[in-house]
Amino acid sequence: IAPWNFPFATGISDAVPALMAGNAVVLKPDNKTALSPLYGIQLLEEAGLPEGLFQVVCGEGPDVGPTLIDNADYVMFTGSTATGRVIGERAGRNLIGCCLELGGKNPMIVLEDADLEEAAQGAVFGAFGNTGQICMHIERIYLPESRYDEFKNAFVAKTKALDVRASYDFGPDMGSLVSVDHMRRVKSHVDEAVAKGATVLCGGKPRPDLGPAFFEPTILEGVTKDMLCGVTETFGPVVALHKYRTVDEAVVLANDTDYG
């Protein structure tokens, strides 16, 4: 059961080890991105995979998911924690194995002796690569008090310089979110944080002039645990900066979410 954010890679690569071990595979892609894995299966069949060994079922999760799981020997799922709980429970009832790759609120800790130019450049990719729609993308950055302003200024400058636009080539630095609904989710996290006292250092707004689902690369300050974007996966181009005094404190802060 594959997600929309890396449909070809996740839909095909997670299935290949199962095929190598002698199994048939049924893939349920996300409806928004079903064409990518279908193309991958076409390539596999052209390369000699027996036709029909790798099947695809499209549809909404609640409609097709239960039947799919009830007829499987093993389930591999990448997606939200909420859906993962439902799938894990059903797999448990059926006494079949499952592998669940779920949500996160990924932290980055910058140490005092870091090369800040390199760290800021890495943070730009970590936070805004694939418009923040990566399972491992950075949503929280912990910075030593002594170098907080230095990193902040460098990171904000690099983020403001990003080339954000629609294109079918590799020219822009950042593109669109997957859908208007997802853009509204990202916006709601930012709006709620600002309403509760967070500061927008850059970005913070949709860009309808660029496309219906564009949202600016956004850096926030003053995000707390009573804000959605302080504890819940935003899965968009939004990152919060935090200060720490000691490395031990940084580790405690980084681990202080429901995700661990």
Side-chain angles (χ1 to χ4, degrees), residues 55-95:
Q55 300 271 354
V56 176
V57 174
C58 292
E60 293 299 331
D63 298 330
V64 301
T67 303
L68 188 67
I69 294 166
D70 288 349
N71 288 278
D73 301 301
Y74 189 93
V75 182
M76 171 72 204
F77 170 74
T78 304
S80 73
T81 302
T83 304
R85 288 187 202 280
V86 174
I87 291 170
E89 287 171 8
R90 197 167 194 103
R93 284 204 302 274
N94 293 346
L95 294 179

PDB file of all heavy atoms in Angstrom, residues 55-95:
ATOM      1  N   GLN A  55       0.033  -7.250  -9.609  1.00  0.00           N
ATOM      2  CA  GLN A  55      -1.284  -6.673  -9.887  1.00  0.00           C
ATOM      3  C   GLN A  55      -1.433  -5.310  -9.198  1.00  0.00           C
ATOM      4  O   GLN A  55      -0.763  -5.027  -8.209  1.00  0.00           O
ATOM      5  CB  GLN A  55      -2.388  -7.600  -9.369  1.00  0.00           C
ATOM      6  CG  GLN A  55      -2.395  -8.977  -9.982  1.00  0.00           C
ATOM      7  CD  GLN A  55      -3.227  -9.058 -11.255  1.00  0.00           C
ATOM      8  OE1 GLN A  55      -3.890  -8.104 -11.632  1.00  0.00           O
ATOM      9  NE2 GLN A  55      -3.177 -10.200 -11.907  1.00  0.00           N
ATOM     10  N   VAL A  56      -2.352  -4.499  -9.700  1.00  0.00           N
ATOM     11  CA  VAL A  56      -2.649  -3.194  -9.109  1.00  0.00           C
ATOM     12  C   VAL A  56      -4.145  -3.095  -8.826  1.00  0.00           C
ATOM     13  O   VAL A  56      -4.968  -3.464  -9.667  1.00  0.00           O
ATOM     14  CB  VAL A  56      -2.228  -2.044 -10.056  1.00  0.00           C
ATOM     15  CG1 VAL A  56      -2.633  -0.687  -9.457  1.00  0.00           C
ATOM     16  CG2 VAL A  56      -0.727  -2.075 -10.300  1.00  0.00           C
ATOM     17  N   VAL A  57      -4.472  -2.610  -7.630  1.00  0.00           N
ATOM     18  CA  VAL A  57      -5.858  -2.330  -7.261  1.00  0.00           C
ATOM     19  C   VAL A  57      -5.955  -0.857  -6.918  1.00  0.00           C
ATOM     20  O   VAL A  57      -5.262  -0.379  -6.021  1.00  0.00           O
ATOM     21  CB  VAL A  57      -6.312  -3.170  -6.045  1.00  0.00           C
ATOM     22  CG1 VAL A  57      -7.704  -2.751  -5.589  1.00  0.00           C
ATOM     23  CG2 VAL A  57      -6.289  -4.652  -6.385  1.00  0.00           C
ATOM     24  N   CYS A  58      -6.804  -0.130  -7.642  1.00  0.00           N
ATOM     25  CA  CYS A  58      -7.012   1.291  -7.353  1.00  0.00           C
ATOM     26  C   CYS A  58      -8.317   1.467  -6.580  1.00  0.00           C
ATOM     27  O   CYS A  58      -9.199   0.614  -6.632  1.00  0.00           O
ATOM     28  CB  CYS A  58      -7.055   2.105  -8.646  1.00  0.00           C
ATOM     29  SG  CYS A  58      -5.470   2.169  -9.510  1.00  0.00           S
ATOM     30  N   GLY A  59      -8.426   2.574  -5.881  1.00  0.00           N
ATOM     31  CA  GLY A  59      -9.636   2.857  -5.108  1.00  0.00           C
ATOM     32  C   GLY A  59      -9.285   3.548  -3.811  1.00  0.00           C
ATOM     33  O   GLY A  59      -8.110   3.670  -3.454  1.00  0.00           O
ATOM     34  N   GLU A  60     -10.306   4.003  -3.103  1.00  0.00           N
ATOM     35  CA  GLU A  60     -10.085   4.642  -1.804  1.00  0.00           C
ATOM     36  C   GLU A  60      -9.749   3.576  -0.759  1.00  0.00           C
ATOM     37  O   GLU A  60     -10.321   2.480  -0.762  1.00  0.00           O
ATOM     38  CB  GLU A  60     -11.332   5.427  -1.380  1.00  0.00           C
ATOM     39  CG  GLU A  60     -11.645   6.638  -2.260  1.00  0.00           C
ATOM     40  CD  GLU A  60     -10.532   7.674  -2.260  1.00  0.00           C
ATOM     41  OE1 GLU A  60      -9.803   7.779  -1.244  1.00  0.00           O
ATOM     42  OE2 GLU A  60     -10.364   8.366  -3.286  1.00  0.00           O
ATOM     43  N   GLY A  61      -8.844   3.922   0.152  1.00  0.00           N
ATOM     44  CA  GLY A  61      -8.384   2.970   1.163  1.00  0.00           C
ATOM     45  C   GLY A  61      -9.482   2.267   1.932  1.00  0.00           C
ATOM     46  O   GLY A  61      -9.486   1.021   2.024  1.00  0.00           O
ATOM     47  N   PRO A  62     -10.451   3.004   2.489  1.00  0.00           N
ATOM     48  CA  PRO A  62     -11.506   2.335   3.261  1.00  0.00           C
ATOM     49  C   PRO A  62     -12.345   1.362   2.434  1.00  0.00           C
ATOM     50  O   PRO A  62     -12.909   0.404   2.970  1.00  0.00           O
ATOM     51  CB  PRO A  62     -12.371   3.504   3.765  1.00  0.00           C
ATOM     52  CG  PRO A  62     -11.457   4.686   3.765  1.00  0.00           C
ATOM     53  CD  PRO A  62     -10.539   4.481   2.586  1.00  0.00           C
ATOM     54  N   ASP A  63     -12.417   1.600   1.101  1.00  0.00           N
ATOM     55  CA  ASP A  63     -13.233   0.736   0.242  1.00  0.00           C
ATOM     56  C   ASP A  63     -12.518  -0.564  -0.114  1.00  0.00           C
ATOM     57  O   ASP A  63     -13.130  -1.637  -0.098  1.00  0.00           O
ATOM     58  CB  ASP A  63     -13.610   1.475  -1.056  1.00  0.00           C
ATOM     59  CG  ASP A  63     -14.456   2.713  -0.797  1.00  0.00           C
ATOM     60  OD1 ASP A  63     -15.203   2.713   0.205  1.00  0.00           O
ATOM     61  OD2 ASP A  63     -14.364   3.671  -1.573  1.00  0.00           O
ATOM     62  N   VAL A  64     -11.238  -0.464  -0.464  1.00  0.00           N
ATOM     63  CA  VAL A  64     -10.531  -1.643  -0.971  1.00  0.00           C
ATOM     64  C   VAL A  64      -9.531  -2.226   0.026  1.00  0.00           C
ATOM     65  O   VAL A  64      -9.148  -3.393  -0.080  1.00  0.00           O
ATOM     66  CB  VAL A  64      -9.802  -1.337  -2.305  1.00  0.00           C
ATOM     67  CG1 VAL A  64     -10.797  -0.862  -3.352  1.00  0.00           C
ATOM     68  CG2 VAL A  64      -8.694  -0.320  -2.122  1.00  0.00           C
ATOM     69  N   GLY A  65      -9.129  -1.431   1.022  1.00  0.00           N
ATOM     70  CA  GLY A  65      -8.086  -1.872   1.952  1.00  0.00           C
ATOM     71  C   GLY A  65      -8.416  -3.130   2.733  1.00  0.00           C
ATOM     72  O   GLY A  65      -7.610  -4.066   2.768  1.00  0.00           O
ATOM     73  N   PRO A  66      -9.595  -3.201   3.376  1.00  0.00           N
ATOM     74  CA  PRO A  66      -9.898  -4.398   4.182  1.00  0.00           C
ATOM     75  C   PRO A  66      -9.857  -5.699   3.376  1.00  0.00           C
ATOM     76  O   PRO A  66      -9.282  -6.697   3.825  1.00  0.00           O
ATOM     77  CB  PRO A  66     -11.319  -4.102   4.700  1.00  0.00           C
ATOM     78  CG  PRO A  66     -11.390  -2.605   4.747  1.00  0.00           C
ATOM     79  CD  PRO A  66     -10.616  -2.146   3.557  1.00  0.00           C
ATOM     80  N   THR A  67     -10.448  -5.691   2.179  1.00  0.00           N
ATOM     81  CA  THR A  67     -10.443  -6.898   1.344  1.00  0.00           C
ATOM     82  C   THR A  67      -9.024  -7.255   0.922  1.00  0.00           C
ATOM     83  O   THR A  67      -8.630  -8.428   0.901  1.00  0.00           O
ATOM     84  CB  THR A  67     -11.319  -6.688   0.093  1.00  0.00           C
ATOM     85  OG1 THR A  67     -12.633  -6.329   0.524  1.00  0.00           O
ATOM     86  CG2 THR A  67     -11.405  -7.953  -0.736  1.00  0.00           C
ATOM     87  N   LEU A  68      -8.242  -6.224   0.591  1.00  0.00           N
ATOM     88  CA  LEU A  68      -6.847  -6.448   0.196  1.00  0.00           C
ATOM     89  C   LEU A  68      -6.060  -7.125   1.318  1.00  0.00           C
ATOM     90  O   LEU A  68      -5.391  -8.147   1.104  1.00  0.00           O
ATOM     91  CB  LEU A  68      -6.213  -5.098  -0.157  1.00  0.00           C
ATOM     92  CG  LEU A  68      -4.822  -5.103  -0.775  1.00  0.00           C
ATOM     93  CD1 LEU A  68      -4.849  -5.713  -2.158  1.00  0.00           C
ATOM     94  CD2 LEU A  68      -4.282  -3.673  -0.844  1.00  0.00           C
ATOM     95  N   ILE A  69      -6.179  -6.597   2.528  1.00  0.00           N
ATOM     96  CA  ILE A  69      -5.420  -7.136   3.658  1.00  0.00           C
ATOM     97  C   ILE A  69      -5.914  -8.535   4.023  1.00  0.00           C
ATOM     98  O   ILE A  69      -5.125  -9.426   4.362  1.00  0.00           O
ATOM     99  CB  ILE A  69      -5.526  -6.179   4.866  1.00  0.00           C
ATOM    100  CG1 ILE A  69      -4.818  -4.863   4.535  1.00  0.00           C
ATOM    101  CG2 ILE A  69      -4.924  -6.800   6.121  1.00  0.00           C
ATOM    102  CD1 ILE A  69      -5.127  -3.731   5.492  1.00  0.00           C
ATOM    103  N   ASP A  70      -7.226  -8.749   3.928  1.00  0.00           N
ATOM    104  CA  ASP A  70      -7.782 -10.056   4.292  1.00  0.00           C
ATOM    105  C   ASP A  70      -7.357 -11.158   3.335  1.00  0.00           C
ATOM    106  O   ASP A  70      -7.507 -12.345   3.647  1.00  0.00           O
ATOM    107  CB  ASP A  70      -9.316  -9.982   4.347  1.00  0.00           C
ATOM    108  CG  ASP A  70      -9.813  -9.190   5.553  1.00  0.00           C
ATOM    109  OD1 ASP A  70      -8.992  -8.889   6.445  1.00  0.00           O
ATOM    110  OD2 ASP A  70     -11.016  -8.861   5.591  1.00  0.00           O
ATOM    111  N   ASN A  71      -6.849 -10.788   2.154  1.00  0.00           N
ATOM    112  CA  ASN A  71      -6.417 -11.798   1.183  1.00  0.00           C
ATOM    113  C   ASN A  71      -4.912 -11.792   0.965  1.00  0.00           C
ATOM    114  O   ASN A  71      -4.414 -12.360  -0.006  1.00  0.00           O
ATOM    115  CB  ASN A  71      -7.149 -11.570  -0.145  1.00  0.00           C
ATOM    116  CG  ASN A  71      -8.612 -11.962  -0.064  1.00  0.00           C
ATOM    117  OD1 ASN A  71      -8.962 -13.134  -0.186  1.00  0.00           O
ATOM    118  ND2 ASN A  71      -9.478 -10.989   0.186  1.00  0.00           N
ATOM    119  N   ALA A  72      -4.182 -11.158   1.873  1.00  0.00           N
ATOM    120  CA  ALA A  72      -2.721 -11.075   1.742  1.00  0.00           C
ATOM    121  C   ALA A  72      -2.046 -11.946   2.798  1.00  0.00           C
ATOM    122  O   ALA A  72      -2.632 -12.280   3.831  1.00  0.00           O
ATOM    123  CB  ALA A  72      -2.272  -9.620   1.903  1.00  0.00           C
ATOM    124  N   ASP A  73      -0.782 -12.308   2.505  1.00  0.00           N
ATOM    125  CA  ASP A  73       0.038 -13.037   3.474  1.00  0.00           C
ATOM    126  C   ASP A  73       0.968 -12.100   4.239  1.00  0.00           C
ATOM    127  O   ASP A  73       1.540 -12.477   5.266  1.00  0.00           O
ATOM    128  CB  ASP A  73       0.889 -14.093   2.755  1.00  0.00           C
ATOM    129  CG  ASP A  73       0.025 -15.078   1.997  1.00  0.00           C
ATOM    130  OD1 ASP A  73      -0.797 -15.737   2.634  1.00  0.00           O
ATOM    131  OD2 ASP A  73       0.179 -15.171   0.760  1.00  0.00           O
ATOM    132  N   TYR A  74       1.142 -10.894   3.701  1.00  0.00           N
ATOM    133  CA  TYR A  74       2.041  -9.915   4.319  1.00  0.00           C
ATOM    134  C   TYR A  74       1.654  -8.546   3.774  1.00  0.00           C
ATOM    135  O   TYR A  74       1.292  -8.424   2.605  1.00  0.00           O
ATOM    136  CB  TYR A  74       3.505 -10.224   3.965  1.00  0.00           C
ATOM    137  CG  TYR A  74       4.516  -9.388   4.728  1.00  0.00           C
ATOM    138  CD1 TYR A  74       5.067  -9.851   5.913  1.00  0.00           C
ATOM    139  CD2 TYR A  74       4.907  -8.123   4.260  1.00  0.00           C
ATOM    140  CE1 TYR A  74       5.981  -9.084   6.622  1.00  0.00           C
ATOM    141  CE2 TYR A  74       5.816  -7.358   4.962  1.00  0.00           C
ATOM    142  CZ  TYR A  74       6.352  -7.845   6.147  1.00  0.00           C
ATOM    143  OH  TYR A  74       7.253  -7.077   6.838  1.00  0.00           O
ATOM    144  N   VAL A  75       1.729  -7.522   4.618  1.00  0.00           N
ATOM    145  CA  VAL A  75       1.358  -6.169   4.202  1.00  0.00           C
ATOM    146  C   VAL A  75       2.533  -5.217   4.426  1.00  0.00           C
ATOM    147  O   VAL A  75       3.124  -5.206   5.517  1.00  0.00           O
ATOM    148  CB  VAL A  75       0.141  -5.635   4.986  1.00  0.00           C
ATOM    149  CG1 VAL A  75      -0.253  -4.245   4.486  1.00  0.00           C
ATOM    150  CG2 VAL A  75      -1.036  -6.580   4.853  1.00  0.00           C
ATOM    151  N   MET A  76       2.854  -4.453   3.388  1.00  0.00           N
ATOM    152  CA  MET A  76       3.835  -3.371   3.502  1.00  0.00           C
ATOM    153  C   MET A  76       3.091  -2.058   3.275  1.00  0.00           C
ATOM    154  O   MET A  76       2.450  -1.881   2.242  1.00  0.00           O
ATOM    155  CB  MET A  76       4.919  -3.554   2.434  1.00  0.00           C
ATOM    156  CG  MET A  76       5.878  -2.393   2.286  1.00  0.00           C
ATOM    157  SD  MET A  76       7.010  -2.272   3.670  1.00  0.00           S
ATOM    158  CE  MET A  76       7.429  -0.532   3.592  1.00  0.00           C
ATOM    159  N   PHE A  77       3.160  -1.155   4.249  1.00  0.00           N
ATOM    160  CA  PHE A  77       2.423   0.119   4.150  1.00  0.00           C
ATOM    161  C   PHE A  77       3.340   1.293   4.440  1.00  0.00           C
ATOM    162  O   PHE A  77       4.119   1.266   5.398  1.00  0.00           O
ATOM    163  CB  PHE A  77       1.255   0.126   5.135  1.00  0.00           C
ATOM    164  CG  PHE A  77       0.581   1.473   5.276  1.00  0.00           C
ATOM    165  CD1 PHE A  77      -0.248   1.960   4.266  1.00  0.00           C
ATOM    166  CD2 PHE A  77       0.790   2.271   6.402  1.00  0.00           C
ATOM    167  CE1 PHE A  77      -0.868   3.208   4.385  1.00  0.00           C
ATOM    168  CE2 PHE A  77       0.172   3.507   6.517  1.00  0.00           C
ATOM    169  CZ  PHE A  77      -0.651   3.989   5.511  1.00  0.00           C
ATOM    170  N   THR A  78       3.232   2.330   3.629  1.00  0.00           N
ATOM    171  CA  THR A  78       3.889   3.610   3.905  1.00  0.00           C
ATOM    172  C   THR A  78       2.810   4.678   3.882  1.00  0.00           C
ATOM    173  O   THR A  78       2.090   4.811   2.883  1.00  0.00           O
ATOM    174  CB  THR A  78       4.967   3.926   2.856  1.00  0.00           C
ATOM    175  OG1 THR A  78       5.913   2.857   2.809  1.00  0.00           O
ATOM    176  CG2 THR A  78       5.692   5.217   3.198  1.00  0.00           C
ATOM    177  N   GLY A  79       2.694   5.440   4.973  1.00  0.00           N
ATOM    178  CA  GLY A  79       1.658   6.467   5.029  1.00  0.00           C
ATOM    179  C   GLY A  79       1.482   7.007   6.429  1.00  0.00           C
ATOM    180  O   GLY A  79       2.420   6.989   7.239  1.00  0.00           O
ATOM    181  N   SER A  80       0.299   7.471   6.733  1.00  0.00           N
ATOM    182  CA  SER A  80       0.054   8.157   7.995  1.00  0.00           C
ATOM    183  C   SER A  80      -0.017   7.183   9.169  1.00  0.00           C
ATOM    184  O   SER A  80      -0.345   6.006   9.012  1.00  0.00           O
ATOM    185  CB  SER A  80      -1.261   8.939   7.915  1.00  0.00           C
ATOM    186  OG  SER A  80      -2.363   8.052   7.958  1.00  0.00           O
ATOM    187  N   THR A  81       0.280   7.705  10.353  1.00  0.00           N
ATOM    188  CA  THR A  81       0.209   6.895  11.569  1.00  0.00           C
ATOM    189  C   THR A  81      -1.220   6.421  11.823  1.00  0.00           C
ATOM    190  O   THR A  81      -1.438   5.279  12.225  1.00  0.00           O
ATOM    191  CB  THR A  81       0.728   7.713  12.760  1.00  0.00           C
ATOM    192  OG1 THR A  81       2.074   8.129  12.471  1.00  0.00           O
ATOM    193  CG2 THR A  81       0.714   6.907  14.045  1.00  0.00           C
ATOM    194  N   ALA A  82      -2.198   7.295  11.574  1.00  0.00           N
ATOM    195  CA  ALA A  82      -3.601   6.932  11.829  1.00  0.00           C
ATOM    196  C   ALA A  82      -4.015   5.734  10.981  1.00  0.00           C
ATOM    197  O   ALA A  82      -4.616   4.769  11.482  1.00  0.00           O
ATOM    198  CB  ALA A  82      -4.504   8.128  11.537  1.00  0.00           C
ATOM    199  N   THR A  83      -3.680   5.757   9.686  1.00  0.00           N
ATOM    200  CA  THR A  83      -4.014   4.627   8.808  1.00  0.00           C
ATOM    201  C   THR A  83      -3.192   3.405   9.185  1.00  0.00           C
ATOM    202  O   THR A  83      -3.685   2.268   9.144  1.00  0.00           O
ATOM    203  CB  THR A  83      -3.772   5.009   7.341  1.00  0.00           C
ATOM    204  OG1 THR A  83      -4.532   6.179   7.032  1.00  0.00           O
ATOM    205  CG2 THR A  83      -4.178   3.884   6.404  1.00  0.00           C
ATOM    206  N   GLY A  84      -1.942   3.622   9.575  1.00  0.00           N
ATOM    207  CA  GLY A  84      -1.079   2.516   9.982  1.00  0.00           C
ATOM    208  C   GLY A  84      -1.639   1.735  11.153  1.00  0.00           C
ATOM    209  O   GLY A  84      -1.526   0.507  11.213  1.00  0.00           O
ATOM    210  N   ARG A  85      -2.259   2.438  12.096  1.00  0.00           N
ATOM    211  CA  ARG A  85      -2.877   1.745  13.243  1.00  0.00           C
ATOM    212  C   ARG A  85      -3.979   0.796  12.781  1.00  0.00           C
ATOM    213  O   ARG A  85      -4.093  -0.339  13.249  1.00  0.00           O
ATOM    214  CB  ARG A  85      -3.482   2.765  14.213  1.00  0.00           C
ATOM    215  CG  ARG A  85      -2.486   3.570  15.007  1.00  0.00           C
ATOM    216  CD  ARG A  85      -3.209   4.412  16.055  1.00  0.00           C
ATOM    217  NE  ARG A  85      -2.407   5.548  16.479  1.00  0.00           N
ATOM    218  CZ  ARG A  85      -1.413   5.479  17.361  1.00  0.00           C
ATOM    219  NH1 ARG A  85      -1.089   4.314  17.890  1.00  0.00           N
ATOM    220  NH2 ARG A  85      -0.736   6.556  17.699  1.00  0.00           N
ATOM    221  N   VAL A  86      -4.810   1.267  11.840  1.00  0.00           N
ATOM    222  CA  VAL A  86      -5.916   0.462  11.324  1.00  0.00           C
ATOM    223  C   VAL A  86      -5.376  -0.779  10.618  1.00  0.00           C
ATOM    224  O   VAL A  86      -5.863  -1.903  10.816  1.00  0.00           O
ATOM    225  CB  VAL A  86      -6.787   1.303  10.361  1.00  0.00           C
ATOM    226  CG1 VAL A  86      -7.860   0.435   9.707  1.00  0.00           C
ATOM    227  CG2 VAL A  86      -7.419   2.476  11.104  1.00  0.00           C
ATOM    228  N   ILE A  87      -4.338  -0.586   9.781  1.00  0.00           N
ATOM    229  CA  ILE A  87      -3.761  -1.707   9.036  1.00  0.00           C
ATOM    230  C   ILE A  87      -3.077  -2.694   9.981  1.00  0.00           C
ATOM    231  O   ILE A  87      -3.226  -3.916   9.845  1.00  0.00           O
ATOM    232  CB  ILE A  87      -2.766  -1.169   7.979  1.00  0.00           C
ATOM    233  CG1 ILE A  87      -3.548  -0.426   6.884  1.00  0.00           C
ATOM    234  CG2 ILE A  87      -1.931  -2.304   7.379  1.00  0.00           C
ATOM    235  CD1 ILE A  87      -2.676   0.338   5.920  1.00  0.00           C
ATOM    236  N   GLY A  88      -2.339  -2.176  10.962  1.00  0.00           N
ATOM    237  CA  GLY A  88      -1.658  -3.048  11.919  1.00  0.00           C
ATOM    238  C   GLY A  88      -2.637  -3.901  12.715  1.00  0.00           C
ATOM    239  O   GLY A  88      -2.398  -5.093  12.955  1.00  0.00           O
ATOM    240  N   GLU A  89      -3.757  -3.292  13.124  1.00  0.00           N
ATOM    241  CA  GLU A  89      -4.773  -4.039  13.871  1.00  0.00           C
ATOM    242  C   GLU A  89      -5.369  -5.156  13.017  1.00  0.00           C
ATOM    243  O   GLU A  89      -5.561  -6.282  13.488  1.00  0.00           O
ATOM    244  CB  GLU A  89      -5.887  -3.088  14.324  1.00  0.00           C
ATOM    245  CG  GLU A  89      -5.471  -2.168  15.465  1.00  0.00           C
ATOM    246  CD  GLU A  89      -6.509  -1.100  15.758  1.00  0.00           C
ATOM    247  OE1 GLU A  89      -7.612  -1.177  15.184  1.00  0.00           O
ATOM    248  OE2 GLU A  89      -6.206  -0.196  16.551  1.00  0.00           O
ATOM    249  N   ARG A  90      -5.640  -4.852  11.750  1.00  0.00           N
ATOM    250  CA  ARG A  90      -6.253  -5.864  10.881  1.00  0.00           C
ATOM    251  C   ARG A  90      -5.263  -6.995  10.588  1.00  0.00           C
ATOM    252  O   ARG A  90      -5.625  -8.175  10.565  1.00  0.00           O
ATOM    253  CB  ARG A  90      -6.749  -5.223   9.582  1.00  0.00           C
ATOM    254  CG  ARG A  90      -7.730  -6.100   8.834  1.00  0.00           C
ATOM    255  CD  ARG A  90      -8.463  -5.372   7.737  1.00  0.00           C
ATOM    256  NE  ARG A  90      -9.591  -6.148   7.278  1.00  0.00           N
ATOM    257  CZ  ARG A  90     -10.858  -5.922   7.596  1.00  0.00           C
ATOM    258  NH1 ARG A  90     -11.175  -4.916   8.394  1.00  0.00           N
ATOM    259  NH2 ARG A  90     -11.834  -6.684   7.135  1.00  0.00           N
ATOM    260  N   ALA A  91      -4.004  -6.619  10.356  1.00  0.00           N
ATOM    261  CA  ALA A  91      -2.978  -7.643  10.122  1.00  0.00           C
ATOM    262  C   ALA A  91      -2.829  -8.531  11.356  1.00  0.00           C
ATOM    263  O   ALA A  91      -2.661  -9.753  11.245  1.00  0.00           O
ATOM    264  CB  ALA A  91      -1.652  -6.979   9.769  1.00  0.00           C
ATOM    265  N   GLY A  92      -2.925  -7.925  12.542  1.00  0.00           N
ATOM    266  CA  GLY A  92      -2.833  -8.709  13.776  1.00  0.00           C
ATOM    267  C   GLY A  92      -3.978  -9.695  13.913  1.00  0.00           C
ATOM    268  O   GLY A  92      -3.780 -10.850  14.298  1.00  0.00           O
ATOM    269  N   ARG A  93      -5.183  -9.241  13.572  1.00  0.00           N
ATOM    270  CA  ARG A  93      -6.345 -10.144  13.633  1.00  0.00           C
ATOM    271  C   ARG A  93      -6.180 -11.318  12.677  1.00  0.00           C
ATOM    272  O   ARG A  93      -6.610 -12.436  12.957  1.00  0.00           O
ATOM    273  CB  ARG A  93      -7.629  -9.378  13.300  1.00  0.00           C
ATOM    274  CG  ARG A  93      -8.146  -8.500  14.411  1.00  0.00           C
ATOM    275  CD  ARG A  93      -9.642  -8.253  14.290  1.00  0.00           C
ATOM    276  NE  ARG A  93     -10.023  -7.646  13.023  1.00  0.00           N
ATOM    277  CZ  ARG A  93     -10.025  -6.341  12.790  1.00  0.00           C
ATOM    278  NH1 ARG A  93      -9.655  -5.500  13.738  1.00  0.00           N
ATOM    279  NH2 ARG A  93     -10.388  -5.863  11.622  1.00  0.00           N
ATOM    280  N   ASN A  94      -5.556 -11.050  11.520  1.00  0.00           N
ATOM    281  CA  ASN A  94      -5.377 -12.095  10.509  1.00  0.00           C
ATOM    282  C   ASN A  94      -4.116 -12.919  10.745  1.00  0.00           C
ATOM    283  O   ASN A  94      -3.830 -13.859   9.996  1.00  0.00           O
ATOM    284  CB  ASN A  94      -5.306 -11.468   9.107  1.00  0.00           C
ATOM    285  CG  ASN A  94      -6.631 -10.846   8.686  1.00  0.00           C
ATOM    286  OD1 ASN A  94      -7.658 -11.082   9.297  1.00  0.00           O
ATOM    287  ND2 ASN A  94      -6.591 -10.043   7.640  1.00  0.00           N
ATOM    288  N   LEU A  95      -3.326 -12.553  11.760  1.00  0.00           N
ATOM    289  CA  LEU A  95      -2.053 -13.226  12.079  1.00  0.00           C
ATOM    290  C   LEU A  95      -1.117 -13.263  10.869  1.00  0.00           C
ATOM    291  O   LEU A  95      -0.512 -14.294  10.551  1.00  0.00           O
ATOM    292  CB  LEU A  95      -2.304 -14.646  12.607  1.00  0.00           C
ATOM    293  CG  LEU A  95      -3.012 -14.727  13.958  1.00  0.00           C
ATOM    294  CD1 LEU A  95      -3.231 -16.187  14.358  1.00  0.00           C
ATOM    295  CD2 LEU A  95      -2.229 -14.006  15.039  1.00  0.00           C
TER     296      LEU A  95
END
